[in-house]
Amino acid sequence: MLEFYRQMVLIRRFEEKAGQLYGLGLIGGFCHLYIGQEAVAVGIQSALKPGKDSVITGYRDHGHMLAYGIDPNVIMAELTGREAGISRGKGGSMHMFSVEHKFFGGHGIVGAQVSLGAGLGFAHKYNGDGGVCVAYFGDGAANQGQVYESFNMAELWKLPIIFVIENNQYAMGTSVNRSSAEDQLYRRGESFRIPGIQVNGMDVLAVRGATEEALKWVQGGNGPILLEMKTYRYRGHSMSDPAKYRSREEVQAMRDKSDPIEGVKAYLAAQGVGEDELKKIDQDIRKIVSEAADFAETSPEPDMAELYTDVLVEQY
Amino acid sequence: MGIAIKMPALSPTMEEGTLAKWLVKEGDDVRSGDILAEIETDKATMEFEAVDEGKIGKIMIAEGTEGVKVGTVIAEMAGEGGEEAAPAPKAAAPAKAEAAPEAPKKPVAVKATVADPSLPAGTEYVKTTVREALRDAMAEEMRSDERVFVIGEEVAEYQGAYKVTQGLLDEFGAKRVIDTPITEYGFAGIGTGAAMGGLRPIVEFMTFNFAMQAIDHIINSAAKTNYMSGGQMRCPIVFRGPNGAASRVGAQHSQNYAPWYAAVPGLIVIAPYDAADAKGLLKAAIRSQDPVVFLENELLYGRSFDVPKVDDYILPIGKARIMRSGSDVTLVSYSIGVGLALEAAETLAAEGIDAEVIDLRTLRPLDTATVLESLKKTNRLVVVEEGWPTCSIASEIAAVVMEQGFDDLDAPVLRVTNEDVPLPYAANLEKAALIDAARVVAAAKKVCYK
């Protein structure tokens, strides 16, 4: 539980720092923060087997990457577009990958990761490696056609995949109710016979428990399962979103009543974990994040030769 | 006078077929809808129904006869009361609309093309259709690499909408030859994801027209991943299928996407003409660590060419081929246009113009060196492309030649392309919209000032 706390605080502080760097002009383009949704990635990842199970998500990816144990320095350096970034500065905030951690990105086209994730699941099954793919997408992506094309084939072929809808209530500025005829998104797999579970995505233990159940289902050869994680993002859709489509009170109420980190804190307190221990973690994390920011600010930009590398793997 | 029963055209592109089996015999009474015979085309064995009632008079073509031309009288039916010959019976409708279309252009008898210099003298050649060559390439690569699999619509049990994957299911099983629902965006994404996950998918599109639904994955997911990941995440995948105009299938089914894909960095784009190149380049494409768009041509599937009988015939990606050497004018083309360029070269030869014909084969990366080298010799160049003129491969070649070969030019580069219109259905309009050898001849003469 302390590890959950540590990871969630790391994501929050890291993302806050990223927001600051964005404000300073050190991070460009789009930048989608994960603040508020930390329990989802942390809870799910904790149930997966590193190096065996694969993960794929959309553009709100840096929060996820921290949960997979990827070095904060190379993530932050990618955000600032530096040579030391995990994509050598050529991907940016939306396009980060770590094949080593079986984290397959980092995709900017809404919903694309669902079909790609089904492909990763297909590869697990084809290779018989016992791995499961977790494909994350949002409530917005849940309205893309290819999601259902993938649901159909995933169930037809019993692919080992967990579809995770991170329902943070808003697809950019459009609320679920304004965009979804069936707003209970865990039911979106029904016509494909894919079972769905609605989970409190602000509660890391609930997330972890649901993931364990889902893994059992998938590993039992039953095909895919759908988890709807009811969560909330505190910040705008991206840094350039003023988030005028919801009230300050709504956001504040969510922070006050449902914050995933506060929830873990309360749990730990009840378990008798002292304030000091948590403070110590907080301090460590501040140090890690501040070092990552320094690293990302001081690392050199990519060499101009990088412009032409990695377009193709082979020479023709 | 009886009713003549003629060899039916069972697809728009069928020219001849095998009369596989008679299901009636002389003297049998038949009714409309009875099955008279089974006819085998290069794509499928189809049942042939009677349209009229009557008695089978004489069977003129014995079963087992191959190469029966469409329109040949295969039997006579004694009609009721000896009326005049009625229209020939129509074929049973093809099982799947998309599976049927092919086209009516006559295969062109061309002079033996320049042999592959990398092959030893005395190499044996086997007549092979482009369709078989593609299948052989896939089968060979699937035998040598467990990671290779084929996925697409009707690729397995149906044996391929155009029979390109014929036999693969039998040899490799359902794990590696996978029928999908009609869901291009989805299965292109699954294929791309599987490639990211370490497999070697061959994604077949029934035609590249349908790949428009999937173009997002081809470009945004497959082509860009290696670059966006700083070289970390590969995507070794082949997207293949027929491309370009077929025959009489209208605007939505008749389009050459070569310039679209060739515009995208991160992709390899290959468009072979003959069977040997189809085989050697598809094998190379499957082995490539980069994503490949492999553009075939439906009208070429049934054409036979010499394929060298060697183990593991593989060709380099990115190298054009001089199909015919000449000294007066260079004709640059790819895919089906190469046949027309070769045909035009024969006509030009008869008129004293010696044309060199280059098959680009790979459209990205483009082998500009071979084109520029040829231009140095001929000083005149025509690009022949079965596709639209605007922003075409022809435009690209013209730009390259202008930038890098300007001093070698004795005449402006001319483009022979399709008309700049959606492809019409009417036979005469369709013919007018598509390139032909005569237009190539005219353009070549123009740049030679003859």
Side-chain angles (χ1 to χ4, degrees):
Chain A
M1 204 64 185
L2 267 177
E3 181 56 22
F4 286 161
Y5 177 78
R6 201 191 66 76
Q7 287 183 15
M8 288 162 67
V9 173
L10 173 63
I11 294 173
R12 178 141 325 164
R13 298 291 164 258
F14 182 97
E15 296 285 76
E16 285 168 356
K17 180 60 85 177
Q20 286 171 19
L21 297 185
Y22 192 92
L24 294 169
L26 285 158
I27 297 174
F30 298 124
C31 185
H32 309 87
L33 303 181
Y34 200 60
I35 297 172
Q37 301 179 216
E38 297 91 343
V40 177
V42 169
I44 292 177
Q45 185 59 25
S46 72
L48 302 183
K49 289 196 187 63
K52 185 174 174 195
D53 299 321
S54 57
V55 173
I56 190 165
T57 186
Y59 44 78
R60 198 178 302 282
D61 57 350
H62 13 115
H64 276 266
M65 302 186 71
L66 293 164
Y68 312 142
I70 298 167
D71 179 7
N73 285 10
V74 300
I75 303 174
M76 198 68 98
E78 188 60 37
L79 290 174
T80 55
R82 305 305 165 106
E83 173 88 53
I86 194 161
S87 301
R88 295 196 204 173
K90 295 197 285 196
S93 111
M94 297 186 286
H95 306 303
M96 301 196 207
F97 311 82
S98 174
V99 174
E100 184 195 344
H101 290 85
K102 286 199 166 286
F103 174 72
F104 290 88
H107 297 271
I109 305 299
V110 178
Q113 72 271 25
V114 182
S115 303
L116 296 172
L120 292 167
F122 179 95
H124 283 306
K125 184 167 186 192
Y126 190 97
N127 291 328
D129 61 15
V132 170
C133 175
V134 177
Y136 293 90
F137 55 108
D139 46 287
N143 289 322
Q144 288 279 25
Q146 65 173 313
V147 169
Y148 300 94
E149 298 188 26
S150 305
F151 279 8
N152 186 36
M153 285 180 278
E155 178 64 29
L156 201 58
W157 301 335
K158 302 284 182 207
L159 299 182
I161 181 165
I162 302 175
F163 296 111
V164 179
I165 302 181
E166 291 194 75
N167 179 0
N168 66 16
Q169 329 280 345
Y170 295 91
M172 203 164 131
T174 305
S175 69
V176 171
N177 295 331
R178 290 207 298 129
S179 60
S180 303
E182 170 55 271
D183 63 358
Q184 297 303 301
L185 301 182
Y186 71 98
R187 300 186 59 185
R188 286 294 187 90
E190 276 178 7
S191 66
F192 305 94
R193 305 183 171 203
I194 298 176
I197 308 173
Q198 196 169 50
V199 185
N200 177 4
M202 304 301 268
D203 177 350
V204 71
L205 288 180
V207 173
R208 164 72 188 241
T211 308
E212 283 173 2
E213 286 305 307
L215 279 167
K216 258 186 243 164
W217 173 265
V218 173
Q219 285 163 343
N222 299 302
I225 191 167
L226 176 60
L227 299 179
E228 179 194 1
M229 296 290 169
K230 296 275 276 185
T231 182
Y232 199 79
R233 68 170 149 74
Y234 298 169
R235 298 294 188 92
H237 161 74
S238 68
M239 288 305 295
S240 50
D241 169 22
K244 295 240 166 84
Y245 41 82
R246 59 187 186 187
S247 65
R248 281 180 169 281
E249 291 72 30
E250 179 185 309
V251 180
Q252 198 54 48
M254 198 56 89
R255 295 188 97 129
D256 292 346
K257 291 180 194 146
S258 310
D259 186 76
I261 295 177
E262 290 304 319
V264 172
K265 245 181 170 170
Y267 179 90
L268 287 169
Q271 298 286 308
V273 178
E275 277 281 311
D276 293 352
E277 206 167 339
L278 299 185
K279 277 226 171 82
K280 168 83 175 51
I281 290 175
D282 291 350
Q283 280 165 1
D284 288 350
I285 294 220
R286 282 191 193 281
K287 190 158 166 281
I288 291 169
V289 168
S290 137
E291 277 172 13
D294 286 347
F295 178 77
E297 283 175 52
T298 54
S299 291
E301 289 189 312
D303 190 275
M304 286 312 288
E306 278 293 332
L307 182 59
Y308 303 106
T309 60
D310 306 321
V311 178
L312 294 172
V313 179
E314 297 186 32
Q315 298 220 310
Y316 300 93
Chain B
M1 168 105 193
I3 300 164
I5 301 175
K6 293 178 181 170
M7 185 70 168
L10 296 168
S11 81
T13 53
M14 175 177 163
E15 290 167 3
E16 58 177 43
T18 299
L19 210 164
K21 193 174 179 188
W22 278 109
L23 297 171
V24 292
K25 56 184 188 301
E26 290 178 3
D28 282 359
D29 286 318
V30 295
R31 300 173 54 152
S32 167
D34 286 353
I35 298 171
L36 300 177
E38 287 178 2
I39 289 168
E40 198 179 316
T41 71
D42 57 352
K43 293 196 301 189
T45 301
M46 316 264 282
E47 291 176 340
F48 175 43
E49 288 178 11
V51 170
D52 303 288
E53 278 182 49
K55 194 184 281 294
I56 298 292
K58 189 170 164 50
I59 287 180
M60 273 108 138
I61 303 286
E63 69 178 32
T65 308
E66 292 178 15
V68 183
K69 296 263 180 279
V70 169
T72 307
V73 178
I74 54 175
E76 254 182 15
M77 199 154 79
E80 288 165 40
E83 72 272 27
E84 289 301 302
K90 288 202 179 64
K96 196 165 198 308
E98 281 77 3
E102 257 197 41
K105 281 187 202 86
K106 283 263 184 292
V108 181
V110 291
K111 201 169 77 175
T113 52
V114 179
D116 186 338
S118 67
L119 291 171
T123 300
E124 192 187 332
Y125 287 84
V126 181
K127 281 265 177 243
T128 312
T129 62
V130 170
R131 170 182 285 117
E132 291 159 347
L134 293 165
R135 193 263 323 276
D136 293 348
M138 287 189 278
E140 286 178 22
E141 293 307 300
M142 288 175 82
R143 274 173 216 134
S144 63
D145 187 345
E146 274 290 317
R147 298 170 302 174
V148 181
F149 67 95
V150 183
I151 186 169
E153 291 157 4
E154 310 290 11
V155 297
E157 294 192 10
Y158 195 94
Q159 305 292 327
Y162 294 101
K163 257 192 180 177
V164 176
T165 53
Q166 192 168 32
L168 295 182
L169 176 65
D170 289 346
E171 181 173 353
F172 300 103
K175 181 191 171 189
R176 299 178 69 192
V177 186
I178 302 149
D179 280 328
T180 66
I182 299 175
T183 177
E184 282 84 7
Y185 198 5
F187 72 70
I190 286 177
T192 305
M196 291 169 174
L199 300 182
R200 296 289 180 125
I202 303 169
V203 174
E204 175 176 309
F205 292 114
M206 197 181 287
T207 93
F208 262 90
N209 300 287
F210 307 157
M212 289 293 277
Q213 305 240 27
I215 198 167
D216 171 49
H217 279 303
I218 300 173
I219 292 172
N220 272 315
S221 302
K224 295 175 182 172
T225 295
N226 195 57
Y227 193 82
M228 292 195 307
S229 69
Q232 240 196 98
M233 209 163 102
R234 311 253 151 108
C235 191
I237 186 169
V238 177
F239 299 101
R240 51 153 291 272
N243 170 64
S247 176
R248 309 291 311 281
V249 290
Q252 290 184 336
H253 282 67
S254 313
Q255 190 167 325
N256 174 3
Y257 291 93
W260 298 52
Y261 293 110
V264 182
L267 287 180
I268 299 291
V269 183
I270 297 171
Y273 165 63
D274 72 14
D277 286 351
K279 183 176 183 188
L281 287 168
L282 183 53
K283 281 166 69 76
I286 295 166
R287 281 188 216 178
S288 169
Q289 297 198 66
D290 292 302
V292 179
V293 171
F294 196 91
L295 303 168
E296 299 156 12
N297 189 294
E298 189 196 327
L299 307 182
L300 296 175
Y301 278 155
R303 292 201 203 166
S304 292
F305 297 88
D306 286 335
V307 174
K309 194 178 175 184
V310 291
D311 288 340
D312 205 18
Y313 184 65
I314 188 156
L315 290 167
I317 290 170
K319 295 281 178 286
R321 173 177 166 199
I322 296 168
M323 301 293 285
R324 181 191 198 281
S325 58
S327 55
D328 294 335
V329 57
T330 302
L331 307 178
V332 178
S333 190
Y334 64 94
S335 188
I336 195 165
V338 175
L340 299 174
L342 289 168
E343 189 185 343
E346 291 302 301
T347 309
L348 289 165
E351 298 184 29
I353 297 173
D354 187 19
E356 177 145 305
V357 177
I358 295 177
D359 179 356
L360 292 169
R361 304 196 291 188
T362 303
L363 303 175
R364 173 179 273 274
L366 206 48
D367 182 1
T368 54
T370 297
V371 174
L372 292 165
E373 201 54 43
S374 175
L375 178 69
K376 275 197 183 119
K377 183 169 65 171
T378 63
N379 306 113
R380 295 153 209 278
L381 196 130
V382 173
V383 195
V384 181
E385 181 170 20
E386 192 279 279
W388 288 318
T390 308
C391 303
S392 56
I393 300 294
S395 309
E396 179 64 19
I397 294 286
V400 167
V401 165
M402 193 272 288
E403 287 170 352
Q404 298 176 46
F406 190 75
D407 291 342
D408 293 322
L409 281 170
D410 283 352
V413 174
L414 288 186
R415 293 178 288 171
V416 179
T417 64
N418 294 350
E419 293 302 310
D420 202 9
V421 295
L423 200 68
Y425 168 71
N428 63 332
L429 297 181
E430 185 188 64
K431 190 164 181 289
L434 295 171
I435 56 167
D436 54 31
R439 286 173 230 199
V440 182
V441 169
K445 282 179 166 173
K446 197 169 172 192
V447 297
C448 292
Y449 303 113
K450 282 185 180 166

